[in-house]
Amino acid sequence: MFDVVTEWAFHIHLIMAISWIGGSVFMFILGVSLRDKKAQQEVYPHVGPIFGWFEVVALISLLSSGAVLGMKYSLFPLLFNDNGTPISHALNMKLTLVIILTIATVVHFIIAYRTNGKQRTRTEQILSRGSSMLILLLNLFVMHYAIVLRNIL
């Protein structure tokens, strides 16, 4: 039974990672290309909530399936007892980035949810855009360490 769950966990993890990273790239391109304030006010209130809730589901799926995969491949002892090996280093880097990414996502989601269709304060604008850019960059680094781990395993 556990083997079936872990096989599905790998597929779910992969599909959610593709969706998560692809979605953040799309939203970045959308944000850069929509320079007109009026266009932004027409698009974001409709696209933002749909994307935001999907991203919450994707993040929960990624964290859950990642935990299952960590158990399957006995990665937790390597994660919590750094022995200087490439796999231990990659696990620690990926976990650190995922923690920061999760925090940035929560900050961004809360601001976006609270201010959807409303005027943001300067602080909210900076935190929202900064967390959005951070999410995009962290996604690329998390993907790098995922590839490193997959190559090692």
Side-chain angles (χ1 to χ4, degrees):
M1 176 68 175
F2 188 68
D3 287 336
V4 173
V5 171
T6 56
E7 283 301 316
W8 275 101
F10 176 75
H11 294 292
I12 290 168
H13 200 76
L14 187 59
I15 291 166
M16 289 296 113
I18 291 166
S19 301
W20 175 273
I21 294 169
S24 70
V25 170
F26 171 75
M27 291 302 279
F28 174 76
I29 291 169
L30 185 64
V32 169
S33 63
L34 286 177
R35 306 302 279 167
D36 179 33
K37 270 284 205 212
K38 189 173 186 311
Q40 289 177 358
Q41 291 171 345
E42 291 173 4
V43 172
Y44 279 118
H46 301 288
V47 174
I50 296 166
F51 179 73
W53 285 109
F54 173 76
E55 292 295 282
V56 167
V57 170
L59 181 59
I60 291 168
S61 298
L62 282 165
L63 294 173
S64 301
S65 59
V68 170
L69 292 169
M71 286 185 282
K72 174 186 169 120
Y73 291 108
S74 302
L75 298 177
F76 291 113
L78 293 171
L79 179 63
F80 298 115
N81 297 309
D82 188 354
N83 60 7
T85 61
I87 193 167
S88 182
H89 173 74
L91 282 168
N92 280 299
M93 290 301 296
K94 186 176 178 189
L95 180 63
T96 300
L97 293 170
V98 166
I99 290 168
I100 297 167
L101 178 65
T102 302
I103 292 167
T105 299
V106 168
V107 167
H108 186 78
F109 183 83
I110 289 170
I111 292 169
Y113 186 75
R114 278 191 9 213
T115 62
N116 189 34
K118 299 175 187 167
Q119 187 70 29
R120 290 182 177 164
T121 66
R122 181 77 176 138
T123 303
E124 290 169 334
Q125 189 72 13
I126 290 169
L127 284 172
S128 179
R129 287 189 179 184
S131 61
S132 183
M133 180 60 72
L134 183 61
I135 290 166
L136 174 67
L137 294 173
L138 288 172
N139 277 332
L140 300 175
F141 285 106
V142 168
M143 184 174 63
H144 164 74
Y145 284 106
I147 292 167
V148 168
L149 286 169
R150 190 66 192 154
N151 287 338
I152 293 171
L153 296 175

